[in-house]
Amino acid sequence: MRLFHYHLVTSKVRDVEARYIAKLGFELVARYGRIGDEQSSYEAGVPWEELDRLGFRLRLSELQRGAVNVVVQPGQWELPRVDHLGFALDDDEFIEVIERANRLELRVQEYPGRRTFVATGAGYRVEIHPPRDWIDELLGASEEMRLAGLRLRSEDPGAQAGALAQLLDLIVHDNNVQVGDAFVRFDEGGPPGRPQLDGELFA
């Protein structure tokens, strides 16, 4: 089981995107959105000024470095909040998580061949993937960089850490959930609902 992805929501998309590119060395995979009624996407090299001129309305911006994938989506919060965390599982782990979600009566959204989301009931979702070629290729870049940990601020750290641990059948200690060689830690002082990103650890 590997933590490799997180999806942020913020009103400062351009600033957050610039942080990942300029300060953390991420590459822009693409910006996805619409021009009028047509869906559009633009890879790195097309500046925001050009997109503004075209009337481009951003839906999300995808960034990547090594074995880490980050998506930033426009939303109402200035400080980024986490919509979901993404995990790569083996076939058995994937089946077990789905069965556990059903037993816990959690909402499961399946997009066959693409992605599966589970609502934790604690303000954020979990995205789970069985083995896929593109994930294997992404995780193969872990020698360059991998996600070693996330620190999130929460109004109820115990509930949010417990929900993740229960769904993935992991141990939680002091609101810290160890996922393979990475951790997800929930600290106090955050907002209600979606947890707020407080920091990342890369290795």
Side-chain angles (χ1 to χ4, degrees):
M1 185 179 299
R2 288 278 300 273
L3 171 64
F4 75 97
H5 165 74
Y6 51 105
H7 184 119
L8 303 175
V9 182
T10 176
S11 62
K12 301 288 188 179
V13 169
R14 298 189 191 191
D15 292 343
V16 172
E17 180 193 271
R19 170 183 177 261
Y20 281 97
I21 295 172
K23 293 187 177 181
L24 299 176
F26 277 68
E27 294 183 356
L28 176 66
V29 176
R31 298 180 182 117
Y32 305 91
R34 306 182 77 88
I35 295 178
D37 294 330
E38 297 294 324
Q39 293 189 7
S40 305
S41 65
Y42 293 89
E43 298 180 356
V46 182
W48 278 112
E49 292 78 11
E50 176 68 10
L51 297 179
D52 290 340
R53 188 185 66 79
L54 294 171
F56 178 74
R57 289 169 36 192
L58 181 73
R59 182 173 62 86
L60 56 86
S61 178
E62 182 180 6
L63 305 125
Q64 192 165 298
R65 180 179 173 189
V68 186
N69 180 271
V70 178
V71 164
V72 187
Q73 173 187 329
Q76 61 181 306
W77 303 288
E78 182 174 343
L79 295 176
R81 296 200 194 179
V82 172
D83 176 81
H84 64 264
L85 305 172
F87 299 89
L89 314 177
D90 65 28
D91 286 318
D92 289 342
E93 289 170 336
F94 182 81
I95 293 170
E96 289 167 2
V97 170
I98 293 295
E99 291 176 345
R100 201 173 296 118
N102 289 331
R103 287 198 303 273
L104 295 169
E105 298 184 344
L106 300 175
R107 184 183 178 197
V108 177
Q109 295 173 286
E110 295 189 72
Y111 302 89
R114 295 179 55 216
R115 59 191 65 196
T116 300
F117 292 103
V118 180
T120 63
Y124 64 97
R125 299 182 296 165
V126 167
E127 181 180 359
I128 56 173
H129 292 274
R132 302 189 193 280
D133 290 343
W134 69 268
I135 292 182
D136 290 343
E137 182 178 344
L138 175 70
L139 297 183
S142 61
E143 291 184 4
E144 179 187 344
M145 192 172 79
R146 63 178 175 80
L147 184 57
L150 288 175
R151 294 193 314 273
L152 309 176
R153 289 202 175 274
S154 167
E155 182 182 53
D156 192 345
Q160 292 197 325
L164 181 63
Q166 185 178 37
L167 176 62
L168 300 182
D169 194 26
L170 299 171
I171 294 173
V172 58
H173 177 69
D174 194 25
N175 300 329
N176 189 88
V177 182
Q178 192 69 30
V179 186
D181 56 3
F183 67 85
V184 181
R185 178 173 180 79
F186 295 85
D187 291 322
E188 295 181 349
R194 291 171 174 164
Q196 181 179 297
L197 179 68
D198 191 46
E200 309 104 322
L201 178 64
F202 302 110

Short mmCIF file of all heavy atoms in Angstrom, two decimals, residues 3 7 39 54 56 62 64 79 95 98 100 110 114 120 127 141 146 152-153 163-164 167-168 177 185 195 199:
data_model
loop_
_atom_site.label_atom_id
_atom_site.label_comp_id
_atom_site.label_asym_id
_atom_site.label_seq_id
_atom_site.Cartn_x
_atom_site.Cartn_y
_atom_site.Cartn_z
N LEU A 3 0.95 5.59 -0.36
CA LEU A 3 0.35 6.93 -0.48
C LEU A 3 1.13 7.68 -1.55
O LEU A 3 2.34 7.87 -1.42
CB LEU A 3 0.45 7.65 0.87
CG LEU A 3 0.07 9.14 0.89
CD1 LEU A 3 -1.39 9.35 0.55
CD2 LEU A 3 0.38 9.72 2.28
N HIS A 7 -5.20 15.64 -3.21
CA HIS A 7 -6.00 16.56 -4.02
C HIS A 7 -6.40 17.73 -3.13
O HIS A 7 -7.08 17.55 -2.12
CB HIS A 7 -7.23 15.82 -4.56
CG HIS A 7 -8.08 16.62 -5.49
ND1 HIS A 7 -8.32 16.25 -6.79
CD2 HIS A 7 -8.79 17.77 -5.31
CE1 HIS A 7 -9.13 17.13 -7.36
NE2 HIS A 7 -9.42 18.06 -6.48
N GLN A 39 -14.52 21.22 -23.35
CA GLN A 39 -13.48 20.82 -22.42
C GLN A 39 -12.11 21.02 -23.08
O GLN A 39 -11.94 20.72 -24.26
CB GLN A 39 -13.65 19.37 -22.00
CG GLN A 39 -14.89 19.12 -21.16
CD GLN A 39 -14.93 17.73 -20.57
OE1 GLN A 39 -13.98 16.97 -20.68
NE2 GLN A 39 -16.04 17.39 -19.94
N LEU A 54 -7.72 33.39 -23.73
CA LEU A 54 -8.60 32.42 -24.40
C LEU A 54 -9.93 32.23 -23.67
O LEU A 54 -10.83 31.58 -24.19
CB LEU A 54 -7.89 31.06 -24.51
CG LEU A 54 -6.66 31.00 -25.41
CD1 LEU A 54 -5.93 29.67 -25.24
CD2 LEU A 54 -7.05 31.20 -26.88
N PHE A 56 -10.13 30.67 -20.70
CA PHE A 56 -10.03 29.35 -20.08
C PHE A 56 -10.50 29.41 -18.64
O PHE A 56 -10.08 30.26 -17.87
CB PHE A 56 -8.58 28.87 -20.15
CG PHE A 56 -8.32 27.54 -19.51
CD1 PHE A 56 -8.73 26.37 -20.13
CD2 PHE A 56 -7.64 27.46 -18.31
CE1 PHE A 56 -8.48 25.14 -19.54
CE2 PHE A 56 -7.38 26.24 -17.72
CZ PHE A 56 -7.79 25.07 -18.33
N GLU A 62 -2.79 19.68 -12.49
CA GLU A 62 -2.12 18.45 -12.05
C GLU A 62 -0.61 18.64 -12.11
O GLU A 62 -0.06 19.09 -13.12
CB GLU A 62 -2.54 17.27 -12.93
CG GLU A 62 -1.90 15.95 -12.50
CD GLU A 62 -2.32 14.78 -13.37
OE1 GLU A 62 -3.00 15.01 -14.39
OE2 GLU A 62 -1.95 13.64 -13.04
N GLN A 64 3.38 16.93 -10.82
CA GLN A 64 4.02 15.66 -10.51
C GLN A 64 5.53 15.82 -10.36
O GLN A 64 6.15 16.62 -11.07
CB GLN A 64 3.73 14.66 -11.64
CG GLN A 64 4.07 13.22 -11.34
CD GLN A 64 3.43 12.29 -12.36
OE1 GLN A 64 2.20 12.24 -12.45
NE2 GLN A 64 4.24 11.61 -13.13
N LEU A 79 -6.42 28.88 2.45
CA LEU A 79 -5.45 27.86 2.82
C LEU A 79 -5.94 26.52 2.28
O LEU A 79 -7.10 26.15 2.50
CB LEU A 79 -5.30 27.80 4.34
CG LEU A 79 -4.69 29.06 4.99
CD1 LEU A 79 -4.68 28.91 6.51
CD2 LEU A 79 -3.29 29.32 4.46
N ILE A 95 -9.60 -5.22 -2.92
CA ILE A 95 -10.84 -5.94 -2.64
C ILE A 95 -11.22 -5.81 -1.17
O ILE A 95 -12.38 -5.59 -0.82
CB ILE A 95 -10.70 -7.43 -3.04
CG1 ILE A 95 -10.58 -7.55 -4.56
CG2 ILE A 95 -11.89 -8.24 -2.54
CD1 ILE A 95 -10.20 -8.93 -5.04
N ILE A 98 -12.65 -2.32 -0.38
CA ILE A 98 -14.03 -2.20 -0.87
C ILE A 98 -14.99 -2.96 0.04
O ILE A 98 -16.06 -2.45 0.42
CB ILE A 98 -14.14 -2.72 -2.32
CG1 ILE A 98 -13.38 -1.81 -3.29
CG2 ILE A 98 -15.61 -2.82 -2.74
CD1 ILE A 98 -13.94 -0.42 -3.42
N ARG A 100 -14.55 -3.71 3.17
CA ARG A 100 -14.61 -3.02 4.46
C ARG A 100 -15.49 -1.79 4.37
O ARG A 100 -16.29 -1.51 5.28
CB ARG A 100 -13.19 -2.65 4.89
CG ARG A 100 -13.03 -2.40 6.39
CD ARG A 100 -11.57 -2.21 6.73
NE ARG A 100 -10.79 -3.40 6.47
CZ ARG A 100 -9.79 -3.49 5.59
NH1 ARG A 100 -9.42 -2.41 4.91
NH2 ARG A 100 -9.15 -4.61 5.41
N GLU A 110 -17.49 4.30 -7.98
CA GLU A 110 -16.59 3.58 -8.87
C GLU A 110 -16.70 4.09 -10.30
O GLU A 110 -17.80 4.25 -10.82
CB GLU A 110 -16.89 2.08 -8.83
CG GLU A 110 -16.62 1.44 -7.48
CD GLU A 110 -16.70 -0.07 -7.52
OE1 GLU A 110 -15.78 -0.69 -8.10
OE2 GLU A 110 -17.68 -0.62 -6.99
N ARG A 114 -10.80 3.51 -14.12
CA ARG A 114 -10.21 4.83 -13.89
C ARG A 114 -9.88 5.05 -12.43
O ARG A 114 -8.74 5.16 -12.05
CB ARG A 114 -11.15 5.93 -14.41
CG ARG A 114 -11.35 5.90 -15.92
CD ARG A 114 -12.30 7.00 -16.37
NE ARG A 114 -11.86 8.31 -15.93
CZ ARG A 114 -12.68 9.28 -15.54
NH1 ARG A 114 -13.98 9.06 -15.50
NH2 ARG A 114 -12.21 10.46 -15.18
N THR A 120 -15.08 8.79 3.63
CA THR A 120 -14.75 8.31 4.97
C THR A 120 -15.81 8.64 6.00
O THR A 120 -15.82 8.06 7.09
CB THR A 120 -13.41 8.92 5.44
OG1 THR A 120 -13.57 10.34 5.53
CG2 THR A 120 -12.28 8.56 4.49
N GLU A 127 -9.11 7.89 -2.32
CA GLU A 127 -9.10 7.36 -3.69
C GLU A 127 -8.20 6.13 -3.68
O GLU A 127 -7.04 6.19 -3.25
CB GLU A 127 -8.56 8.41 -4.66
CG GLU A 127 -8.55 7.94 -6.11
CD GLU A 127 -8.01 9.01 -7.05
OE1 GLU A 127 -7.66 10.11 -6.58
OE2 GLU A 127 -7.92 8.73 -8.26
N ALA A 141 9.26 5.79 -10.24
CA ALA A 141 10.09 7.00 -10.16
C ALA A 141 10.38 7.40 -8.71
O ALA A 141 10.84 8.51 -8.45
CB ALA A 141 9.41 8.15 -10.89
N ARG A 146 9.59 10.56 -3.34
CA ARG A 146 8.35 9.91 -2.93
C ARG A 146 7.73 10.71 -1.79
O ARG A 146 8.39 11.53 -1.16
CB ARG A 146 8.59 8.46 -2.51
CG ARG A 146 9.48 8.32 -1.30
CD ARG A 146 9.68 6.87 -0.88
NE ARG A 146 10.61 6.75 0.21
CZ ARG A 146 10.33 6.97 1.49
NH1 ARG A 146 9.10 7.34 1.83
NH2 ARG A 146 11.24 6.85 2.42
N LEU A 152 -1.82 17.28 8.48
CA LEU A 152 -3.09 17.93 8.21
C LEU A 152 -3.65 18.49 9.51
O LEU A 152 -3.53 17.86 10.57
CB LEU A 152 -4.09 16.93 7.61
CG LEU A 152 -3.59 16.12 6.40
CD1 LEU A 152 -4.65 15.11 5.98
CD2 LEU A 152 -3.24 17.04 5.24
N ARG A 153 -4.27 19.66 9.44
CA ARG A 153 -4.91 20.25 10.61
C ARG A 153 -6.41 19.99 10.55
O ARG A 153 -7.03 20.12 9.50
CB ARG A 153 -4.63 21.75 10.69
CG ARG A 153 -3.20 22.07 11.05
CD ARG A 153 -3.03 23.45 11.64
NE ARG A 153 -1.66 23.66 12.08
CZ ARG A 153 -1.20 23.30 13.27
NH1 ARG A 153 -2.01 22.72 14.13
NH2 ARG A 153 0.06 23.53 13.59
N ALA A 163 -10.91 7.33 11.07
CA ALA A 163 -11.64 6.94 9.87
C ALA A 163 -10.70 6.36 8.82
O ALA A 163 -11.02 5.35 8.17
CB ALA A 163 -12.39 8.14 9.31
N LEU A 164 -9.53 6.98 8.65
CA LEU A 164 -8.56 6.48 7.67
C LEU A 164 -8.02 5.12 8.09
O LEU A 164 -7.93 4.19 7.29
CB LEU A 164 -7.41 7.48 7.51
CG LEU A 164 -6.33 7.11 6.49
CD1 LEU A 164 -6.91 7.03 5.08
CD2 LEU A 164 -5.19 8.11 6.54
N LEU A 167 -10.72 2.33 7.67
CA LEU A 167 -10.98 1.95 6.28
C LEU A 167 -9.84 1.11 5.70
O LEU A 167 -10.08 0.12 5.01
CB LEU A 167 -11.19 3.20 5.43
CG LEU A 167 -11.37 2.97 3.93
CD1 LEU A 167 -12.62 2.13 3.65
CD2 LEU A 167 -11.44 4.30 3.18
N LEU A 168 -8.60 1.52 5.98
CA LEU A 168 -7.45 0.84 5.39
C LEU A 168 -6.90 -0.28 6.28
O LEU A 168 -5.91 -0.92 5.92
CB LEU A 168 -6.34 1.85 5.08
CG LEU A 168 -6.71 2.98 4.11
CD1 LEU A 168 -5.51 3.88 3.87
CD2 LEU A 168 -7.24 2.42 2.79
N VAL A 177 -1.34 8.00 11.33
CA VAL A 177 -1.62 6.74 10.64
C VAL A 177 -0.43 6.42 9.75
O VAL A 177 -0.09 7.20 8.86
CB VAL A 177 -2.91 6.83 9.81
CG1 VAL A 177 -3.21 5.48 9.15
CG2 VAL A 177 -4.08 7.28 10.67
N ARG A 185 -0.67 12.45 9.38
CA ARG A 185 -0.87 12.91 10.75
C ARG A 185 -1.92 14.02 10.78
O ARG A 185 -1.87 14.96 9.99
CB ARG A 185 0.44 13.43 11.35
CG ARG A 185 0.28 13.97 12.76
CD ARG A 185 1.59 14.33 13.43
NE ARG A 185 1.33 14.85 14.77
CZ ARG A 185 1.07 14.09 15.83
NH1 ARG A 185 1.05 12.77 15.70
NH2 ARG A 185 0.83 14.63 17.01
N PRO A 195 -9.91 18.49 6.08
CA PRO A 195 -8.71 18.89 6.81
C PRO A 195 -7.87 19.87 5.99
O PRO A 195 -7.91 19.85 4.76
CB PRO A 195 -7.96 17.58 7.04
CG PRO A 195 -8.45 16.67 5.96
CD PRO A 195 -9.86 17.07 5.69
N GLY A 199 1.53 20.62 5.98
CA GLY A 199 2.89 20.40 5.51
C GLY A 199 3.06 19.04 4.89
O GLY A 199 2.27 18.11 5.14
#
